[in-house]
Amino acid sequence: MENELELTKKRLIELSRRAYERGVPTFSEFLTPGEQTELGRLRIDEPYTLDGGYSEAERRVAVFGEETAPVCCLEVAPSSPKFAEELTHRDYLGSLMGLGLRRSVLGDIVLAEGRAYVFCLESVAGHIIDGLTQVRRTNVRVKRADSLPESVTAPPEETTLTAASERLDALVSAAFNLSRSESARLFEAERVFVNGLPARSASARPEEGDMVSVRGLGRFRFEGSLGETRKGRLRVSLRIYGK
């Protein structure tokens, strides 16, 4: 039986072929970073773009043909901010999935300024607006976002840190302030991903622009090395994102 990734790759090839043969744009649902990486390796007929609703999106829709992705952004805010709980990404995702939605029709969920910005396919936006009234015990209201806070649209500033080397385990240690043994356990538990795919080796060296995700901790983009310190350690530039 084919696994889910192989089925997704077949669907993407079919969408590309349909757009090419019929001359009409086609769209995928939201793709994980790993699925996006696999898409880039496929031999397909029609050029495509990826769009997640904002420049720093992790989950994106593949668009085959010249068309805008059917992605919209919803603002989910507490009805009474004074009495609102401190809600997490998991809280919002759980409530959305409780509406009977597939994860693939939902893009990123970004927390900012005491509310959540949910990127989704246009086809499910009305269902979310009408159906999402509570997250945990907090009553919420949902509307289309008029604009996005700068903290959502702008990438994190580059952070300069010192690391033992450019090895993945050393960079993970530096990014999340972990010991090398703590970093090693993350690789052993298969919690580290590069561009959405499982890290092949703790000793691998990422390319500039690679996104490294650590399940439960967050993710960072490797921007390159900046030379050695006087003590022989390596200065590296990272953009560190939240969970």
Side-chain angles (χ1 to χ4, degrees):
M1 185 175 178
E2 292 180 298
N3 61 34
E4 188 60 34
L5 181 56
E6 291 302 315
L7 291 173
T8 297
K9 288 160 65 174
K10 283 191 173 183
R11 286 196 294 269
L12 293 171
I13 291 172
E14 175 57 29
L15 287 170
S16 171
R17 182 178 297 120
R18 192 186 312 161
Y20 178 78
E21 293 176 350
R22 301 181 184 177
V24 295
T26 59
F27 312 93
S28 71
E29 294 186 338
F30 284 95
L31 303 176
T32 66
E35 290 168 342
Q36 294 168 45
T37 299
E38 292 295 340
L39 172 59
R41 297 172 177 172
L42 295 176
R43 301 179 68 176
I44 57 177
D45 302 311
E46 183 74 9
Y48 68 90
T49 57
L50 293 168
D51 186 359
Y54 69 114
S55 60
E56 296 301 304
E58 182 174 18
R59 301 173 69 92
R60 298 172 186 260
V61 169
V63 182
F64 299 94
E66 297 182 5
E67 187 58 79
T68 303
V71 174
C72 72
C73 180
L74 303 178
E75 178 188 286
V76 184
S79 300
S80 301
K82 182 178 179 180
F83 302 103
E85 304 164 88
E86 186 172 341
L87 300 172
T88 66
H89 180 281
R90 179 177 293 182
D91 294 328
Y92 286 103
L93 179 58
S95 294
L96 289 163
M97 299 292 283
L99 297 177
L101 299 172
R102 299 188 309 279
R103 182 64 180 95
S104 57
V105 302
L106 302 171
D108 289 6
I109 302 171
V110 185
L111 308 187
E113 301 179 358
R115 59 200 64 196
Y117 292 87
V118 178
F119 294 85
C120 66
L121 294 182
E122 184 67 47
S123 59
V124 300
H127 181 56
I128 295 173
I129 292 171
D130 293 338
L132 186 62
T133 58
Q134 192 173 55
V135 178
R136 288 181 58 185
R137 295 180 298 276
T138 297
N139 293 327
V140 298
R141 54 175 176 77
V142 185
K143 67 175 184 177
R144 291 178 183 270
D146 298 322
S147 61
L148 298 174
E150 186 176 345
S151 59
V152 174
T153 58
E157 293 185 2
E158 290 190 38
T159 300
T160 300
L161 299 172
T162 60
S165 71
E166 281 189 7
R167 286 171 47 122
L168 274 175
D169 55 357
L171 295 175
V172 168
S173 295
F176 302 112
N177 195 26
L178 304 174
S179 68
R180 291 295 287 271
S181 60
E182 290 173 324
S183 178
R185 286 196 288 272
L186 294 172
F187 285 87
E188 292 168 1
E190 300 181 345
R191 290 171 57 186
V192 183
F193 300 80
V194 179
N195 297 328
L197 297 176
R200 296 191 305 268
S201 168
S203 63
R205 296 171 185 265
E207 302 286 338
E208 289 187 22
D210 279 354
M211 186 69 76
V212 180
S213 303
V214 182
R215 190 171 293 156
L217 292 179
R219 57 191 176 114
F220 63 85
R221 187 160 63 210
F222 177 59
E223 299 292 355
S225 301
L226 304 174
E228 292 188 353
T229 66
R230 292 181 180 179
K231 295 184 179 181
R233 290 178 63 81
L234 189 66
R235 294 170 62 243
V236 296
S237 177
L238 308 177
R239 293 187 190 271
I240 303 175
Y241 296 73
K243 293 183 181 179

